[in-house]
Amino acid sequence: MSKNDITTNTIATTDVLNRYLFNDMHVRGELVQLSKSYQSIIKNHNYPLGVRLLLGELMVATCLLSATLKFEGEITVQLQGDGPIGYMSVNGDHNQKIRGIAKLKPDQAQTTANSLNELIGKGTMVITIRPEKGEAYQGVVALEEETLAECLVHYFEVSEQIPTKIWLFSDDDKQQVAGSLVQLLPDGDGSNENLTQQKSDFEHISQLTNTIKADEVFSLEAQALLYRLYHQEKVSLFEPQTVSYQCGCSHDKCLVAISQVESTEIESILAEQSKISMTCDYCLTTYDFYYDDLKSFISKHKH
Ligand SMILES: [Zn+2]
């Protein structure tokens, strides 16, 4: 990696995803650093500390995973179990628009749990991938490792059979989250000799990446950090991608949901409350619908 890469590619410190390939190796890498988008996701929810940190890790993990997809579409990573958190879910797409939510069990709003095992309990990780063109598919793995990063590595082992390493960082004081991924890209050759070399390259890059420290990942710009880690390697950087928080809920999408409700029920709620209110679980925006908004499908149902 040359110093030139740094000066020609200066970008904001945070809310950015960088992807890169190690030249002459079958190894790729990703680095994601988030602040504003993370703050938007936790804002207004009053999540306990452990939940905020884990949600940040899940958000970073979802960015890293979505960037490994070879097509346009979206990915949802959900953790669910019998612990204080009923479920936690983050949803992102190829444009790095991301949103997320944690639903605590009713009597657990003040939980002091902070490890993955304490927060989720006995549970699973469900990864749902929805290509814009083609069928959705889902991978499910038991959460049997101690950290979310290790669970994701396990997911890649069992469901994709791709050697992968993942590092996740979450800092509540700085309100920043970050992470990195290193992945082997086996070529079509398949000869054992090549594979041995590729695995040793992968281990080499993993060891370099393993020297990332939390204070660096939260304070250095991506190019400075990548130079620090890989200055002895030849690295090709892709154009950095901005990560942004976007809920995706809307007045129109709520209307579609209401249109599925029986017209008699709509009428009875309107008679009682003069409006129908819907609040988005993710961003807590409330949408109100009055008789005039709803009369078209009340009368439509009557005909
Ligand atoms: Zn929303």
Side-chain angles (χ1 to χ4, degrees), residues 99 245 247-250 280-285 287:
R99 65 177 184 163
Y245 169 74
C247 184
C249 67
S250 68
C280 172
D281 278 346
Y282 285 84
C283 66
L284 304 176
T285 302
Y287 299 91

Side-chain angles (χ1 to χ4, degrees), residues 38-39 49 52-53 170-176:
Y38 172 56
Q39 291 155 19
L49 175 65
R52 290 199 293 275
L53 293 174
S170 193
D171 188 303
D172 197 59
D173 291 334
K174 295 189 173 77
Q175 299 224 322
Q176 280 178 272

Side-chain angles (χ1 to χ4, degrees), residues 17-31:
L17 167 79
N18 274 275
R19 295 184 301 128
Y20 32 92
L21 289 171
F22 294 89
N23 301 0
D24 317 318
M25 295 184 189
H26 289 265
V27 180
R28 72 165 153 203
E30 296 172 8
L31 174 68

Side-chain angles (χ1 to χ4, degrees), residues 69-74 93-95 129-134:
L69 300 179
K70 295 175 203 75
F71 46 78
E72 301 194 338
E74 60 169 59
D93 68 8
H94 61 278
N95 289 318
I129 295 168
R130 289 185 194 85
E132 272 177 9
K133 290 172 192 145

Side-chain angles (χ1 to χ4, degrees), residues 14-15 33-40 42-43 49 52-53 169-178 218:
T14 58
D15 296 290
Q33 295 162 294
L34 308 177
S35 61
K36 256 193 226 159
S37 53
Y38 172 56
Q39 291 155 19
S40 300
I42 57 174
K43 192 177 71 176
L49 175 65
R52 290 199 293 275
L53 293 174
F169 301 90
S170 193
D171 188 303
D172 197 59
D173 291 334
K174 295 189 173 77
Q175 299 224 322
Q176 280 178 272
V177 292
F218 294 134

Side-chain angles (χ1 to χ4, degrees), residues 135-149:
E135 295 279 299
Y137 58 99
Q138 207 166 56
V140 183
V141 287
L143 292 171
E144 285 169 341
E145 320 294 325
E146 280 191 11
T147 65
L148 181 60

